[in-house]
Amino acid sequence: MGALSLKDLHIHYDRQPVVQDFSLDIGDGEMVALLGPSGAGKTTILKVVAGLLAPARGEVIIDGQVVNDRPPEKRDAVMVFQKPLLFPFMNVNQNIAFGLKMRGDDAARRSRAVERILALTRLAGLGPRKVHELSGGQQQRVALARALVLEPAILLMDEPLSNLDANLRQEMRELILTVQSELNITTLFVTHDQAEALMMSQRVALLLEGRLRQVGSPRDLFHRPADPEVARFFGGGNFFRGRLHEGHFECDFGRLPVTAADGNGHLRTATIRPEDIQLATAPVDLPDSFAGTVVRTRFEGMATRAWIRCPFGELVVLTAESALAPGQSVRLRLPPDKIRVFSEASSSE
Amino acid sequence: MSRPKAVLVALTVLAAVGLPFATLVIWSLADRWFFPGLWPQAWGLRAWSYVVTTAGGQVITALWQSVAVAFVTAVVAVLVALPAARALGLYSFRGKDAISVLLTLPIIVPPLSVAMGLHLWFIRLDLAESFIGVVAVHLTFCLPYAVFVLWGVFSNYNPDFESQARSLGASRWRVWLRVMLPMILPGVIVAGLFAFLLSWSQYLSTLIIGGGRLITLPVLLFSLMGSGDRPVAAAVSIVFVLPALVALLFSARHLGGKSLAGVR
Ligand SMILES: Nc1ncnc2c1ncn2[C@@H]1O[C@H](COP(=O)(O)OP(=O)(O)O)[C@@H](O)[C@H]1O
Ligand SMILES: [Mg+2]
């Protein structure tokens, strides 16, 4: 129903730059997650798209039209806030119909649209309820319904699940995915939860400290992070330095064949995810392996995280082996195809 | 509420409100009541018939004047206080503390001094002895009260509700009317009621600025008291108290802050 394009946005609060150089294109009907830690500027960006905040520079383009000068009520981009913000003096039906009423739809049309969206968001029968008679999850669904009923060109969701408990959150994720694909609404979905971003969206845009660091498919960001900070945000660890030489990464852990592009002879940083390192407790199990000693472990349910001292430094390993004990000797292997060499010589590692 | 508690509350209310009011009623129904007597020596409707017939025209005019002055004062106070209180409650800016001190000044300075201070200027501005002049002098202390009440309301107010409404398609105007106003309505009623009652009970400032031309109920009351006829003064007092009491009862459910819940 609408494409969204953000061009070179700079956003300030009282001259304090909060978001810089932010550009992002979202296709018609696409669901993009805007991911970043708290304070990165996610809400700020949504407010600019919704028209609730003016950027210092840059353009917001909806369906090919620059909408910078349009007030929020004329933007066809509806924002759902982190809190449900249901109007306490209205019941559920009235809350959901609010936007339709502002738009001037007649009563019959309003009630038809409200009924339909109540069913779609599994709120059927709750229409006459007062807002304070709803559970947290129901309130969040009403907030979502209140935006969806307008069938806006762009739907902006600001961490709509962060106030819900884990079970409810999973349920709501499914609901949002279903509804979004059913109505085919172009959606920018903000979250600080990397797992949520990966499972909810077709593409993920990672925002760190007000700057867009990487945009790509969930697999891209997870397996091919652009730089160590992106990797770290997705739970990566194990950064080490080495030199690229004829298709190999020469580092303390050996001469590892990698598929990194050019950059012969240059000093580079590489990483390997903790779950990609192979670990064996018996020496015969692993070819091309090296020895290490377990420093400490932490049981995490499906896996155990182990910090292992090697001759060249410490590595973090996530392993199914749950019987590791500090002081134990193990063998480690770094599968070459799992090693990611960053293209720029990074300053941070 | 448990039964003993309810009884206690009822007794407190009775003692605080009922007793003074009861003496007024007794006085207004006394034909003769001299010192050592615990009750009037003779009962009668002389005071009431005086108030209704002989002074009837005067009382009605005064009642109307009082309502008009208090109502206009309250409406203006709330309308002016709203934007000020909103700014004070929602935003932090330099000089906020100074403003709060300045606002308390008219409240702690007696209205008499304010009225005397303003009298000369009002004469120069042709505001003395006028309706507008009296409203203006009442506003000097009603407005700060209204600002204080609404300031409290706005410090518990979440402006995100307005952003949400804008994003859902409401223009700035409609957001004020359909979102902000319903949310702060209890506070607005309390502020308006305070301003109304404050203005309603003014005597000295009305007398000074009104110059005896604008006779509100308190002014009439004092002149009747000066004549020393206590039963008549009591009857007029009841006429004076009743509208205020009605206003209070009407808005009672908005007092006590209960209905402010859910603003955030
Ligand atoms: N109204 C405001 N005035 C000043 N600074 C603000 C305001 N709102 C947010 N900020 C700052 O802007 C930055 C980004 O905020 P925000 O967009 O809310 O982050 P996020 O939603 O990613 O957690 C933060 O450092 C925050 O402190
Ligand atoms: Mg936020």
Side-chain angles (χ1 to χ4, degrees), chain B:
Chain B
M1 202 158 31
S2 68
R3 219 187 139 72
K5 264 193 203 157
V7 170
L8 198 67
V9 168
L11 282 179
T12 314
V13 170
L14 213 68
V17 185
L19 275 183
F21 200 72
T23 57
L24 274 184
V25 173
I26 295 173
W27 260 115
S28 75
L29 294 172
D31 255 4
R32 274 186 298 120
W33 190 358
F34 298 115
F35 169 60
L38 196 58
W39 297 102
Q41 282 86 8
W43 301 82
L45 288 174
R46 181 188 60 84
W48 282 107
S49 80
Y50 176 79
V51 165
V52 175
T53 55
T54 320
Q58 258 182 310
V59 170
I60 296 285
T61 316
L63 189 67
W64 163 242
Q65 291 279 26
S66 272
V67 170
V69 168
F71 183 77
V72 172
T73 304
V75 169
V76 174
V78 167
L79 285 182
V80 176
L82 267 178
R86 189 188 156 92
L88 287 165
L90 293 188
Y91 311 110
S92 54
F93 47 86
R94 272 178 37 177
K96 204 163 145 175
D97 293 341
I99 289 178
S100 98
V101 172
L102 279 179
L103 277 173
T104 48
L105 266 185
I107 296 175
I108 54 176
V109 174
L112 171 64
S113 331
V114 178
M116 299 226 286
L118 288 175
H119 194 200
L120 274 183
W121 283 355
F122 274 29
I123 291 173
R124 290 290 281 280
L125 293 168
D126 248 354
L127 285 174
E129 299 186 13
S130 76
F131 183 83
I132 296 178
V134 171
V135 166
V137 78
H138 285 190
L139 276 175
T140 56
F141 44 90
C142 290
L143 181 59
Y145 268 107
V147 171
F148 271 117
V149 171
L150 291 173
W151 185 346
V153 171
F154 275 110
S155 16
N156 283 315
Y157 177 79
N158 183 357
D160 279 351
F161 277 104
E162 297 182 6
S163 300
Q164 178 68 83
R166 289 296 301 275
S167 190
L168 290 167
S171 65
R172 197 182 289 273
W173 266 106
R174 287 171 120 182
V175 166
W176 286 340
L177 225 61
R178 289 180 175 260
V179 177
M180 184 185 86
L181 200 58
M183 298 254 255
I184 62 165
L185 191 61
V188 167
I189 288 177
V190 171
L193 189 72
F194 272 29
F196 184 91
L197 292 179
L198 267 175
S199 164
W200 181 262
S201 57
Q202 268 309 299
Y203 166 65
L204 278 174
S205 61
T206 312
L207 191 68
I208 291 168
I209 299 296
R213 292 273 293 277
L214 203 89
I215 311 286
T216 58
L217 266 185
V219 175
L220 184 68
L221 189 66
F222 269 78
S223 74
L224 288 173
M225 280 182 166
S227 70
D229 192 334
R230 285 207 197 172
V232 169
V236 176
S237 296
I238 291 172
V239 173
F240 170 68
V241 169
L242 276 181
L245 212 61
V246 168
L248 263 173
L249 288 178
F250 174 71
S251 50
R253 66 194 188 90
H254 294 294
L255 295 172
K258 207 176 183 177
S259 46
L260 291 178
V263 163
R264 235 181 216 285

